[in-house]
Amino acid sequence: GAVVSQHPSWVICKSGTSVKIECRSLDFQATTMFWYRQFPKQSLMLMATSNEGSKATYEQGVEKDKFLINHASLTLSTLTVTSAHPEDSSFYICSATPGLALLWGNEQFFGPGTRLTVL
Amino acid sequence: GESVGLHLPTLSVQEGDNSIINCAYSNSASDYFIWYKQESGKGPQFIIDIRSNMDKRQGQRVTVLLNKTVKHLSLQIAATQPGDSAVYFCAENAQGAQKLVFGQGTRLTINP
């Protein structure tokens, strides 16, 4: 099956710094990529949807100036957490799909996640 | 707002028994449903899906049942094995929409 990677797998940073997380589709072109956040013992919450070459669409309540998403190529999307604070500590997961619409669940491929800890 | 939820946050079963994980959804426009398995520290893994024009779909050791009348779906795992220990999420999608809405999750633990 298709593979999505994330880098780094975990990161620890000081409060006030910015952190960039990469999401790559390794063997397919990802027209659409999604970014989720998952707090401990909770579900995945969609943060934003990004289509290659266009601005990301953020979910209600997600600060677009704090969580910068760039989907500059068909294989790479980045999430930058700016001025991170301890409450931003979470598990960040990306997913990618080759299509514009979700036709089948097995066409949305999830990355392994990135654990962010802000001290 | 619309949401997908689960009846039970935890489920403990004996190895070899069948497991049934339930999910309730509230968005009547949802027409596509997916079950995911998430192991600790990993991303979700696709298990099985079902469209609203079906009420049952079977995979290898797994079956998904959909009851649109009461907006309920379930995941049945036959002959549960230790490797089935994980958190299971249902997710829904409305026709033409790109995004998935995830349920709260059920943690499945297997007793030897």
Side-chain angles (χ1 to χ4, degrees):
Chain A
V3 179
V4 174
S5 69
Q6 284 184 238
H7 179 81
S9 55
W10 60 270
V11 56
I12 301 173
C13 69
K14 293 182 179 180
S15 184
T17 61
S18 295
V19 176
K20 180 184 286 188
I21 302 170
E22 293 184 348
C23 176
R24 293 182 184 273
S25 57
L26 299 185
D27 49 7
F28 69 99
Q29 293 186 324
T31 305
T32 308
M33 287 184 167
F34 305 87
W35 286 96
Y36 297 84
R37 180 168 53 183
Q38 184 178 31
F39 293 109
K41 299 184 179 180
Q42 293 189 24
S43 188
L44 282 75
M45 296 298 296
L46 180 66
M47 300 175 68
T49 302
S50 73
N51 294 305
E52 185 267 337
S54 60
K55 290 183 178 180
T57 301
Y58 290 81
E59 294 299 302
Q60 191 173 9
V62 178
E63 301 174 59
K64 59 182 179 182
D65 293 332
K66 180 172 182 62
F67 298 99
L68 303 178
I69 292 172
N70 187 313
H71 191 167
S73 78
L74 284 171
T75 60
L76 174 65
S77 177
T78 59
L79 168 67
T80 301
V81 183
T82 62
S83 187
H85 289 92
E87 58 266 29
D88 298 323
S89 298
S90 188
F91 194 51
Y92 291 87
I93 304 171
C94 73
S95 70
T97 181
L100 290 173
L102 188 63
L103 298 178
W104 291 105
N106 56 4
E107 291 183 346
Q108 179 166 161
F109 307 101
F110 285 83
T114 296
R115 175 78 56 193
L116 170 63
T117 302
V118 185
L119 302 177
Chain B
E2 301 285 7
S3 65
V4 180
L6 291 170
H7 293 308
L8 296 173
T10 61
L11 177 65
S12 183
V13 299
Q14 291 294 125
E15 182 177 350
D17 287 352
N18 297 335
S19 302
I20 300 176
I21 301 171
N22 296 303
C23 178
Y25 66 96
S26 57
N27 186 355
S28 56
S30 293
D31 61 353
Y32 180 47
F33 306 89
I34 308 165
W35 280 101
Y36 289 95
K37 173 185 180 183
Q38 186 181 29
E39 296 176 294
S40 181
K42 297 183 179 180
Q45 176 187 357
F46 172 88
I47 301 174
I48 192 168
D49 57 2
I50 189 167
R51 292 203 174 272
S52 59
N53 60 353
M54 306 170 69
D55 52 22
K56 180 179 180 179
R57 194 159 189 233
Q58 288 184 292
Q60 187 176 13
R61 278 202 310 120
V62 294
T63 300
V64 55
L65 300 177
L66 175 63
N67 185 330
K68 296 180 288 294
T69 302
V70 295
K71 297 188 180 69
H72 180 272
L73 68 158
S74 65
L75 175 70
Q76 300 178 1
I77 304 174
T80 311
Q81 304 169 357
D84 295 327
S85 293
V87 178
Y88 290 81
F89 293 98
C90 65
E92 63 174 326
N93 173 256
Q95 185 178 20
Q98 286 184 310
K99 64 181 184 181
L100 295 173
V101 175
F102 280 78
Q104 295 178 3
T106 295
R107 177 172 297 281
L108 177 64
T109 59
I110 314 303
N111 300 319

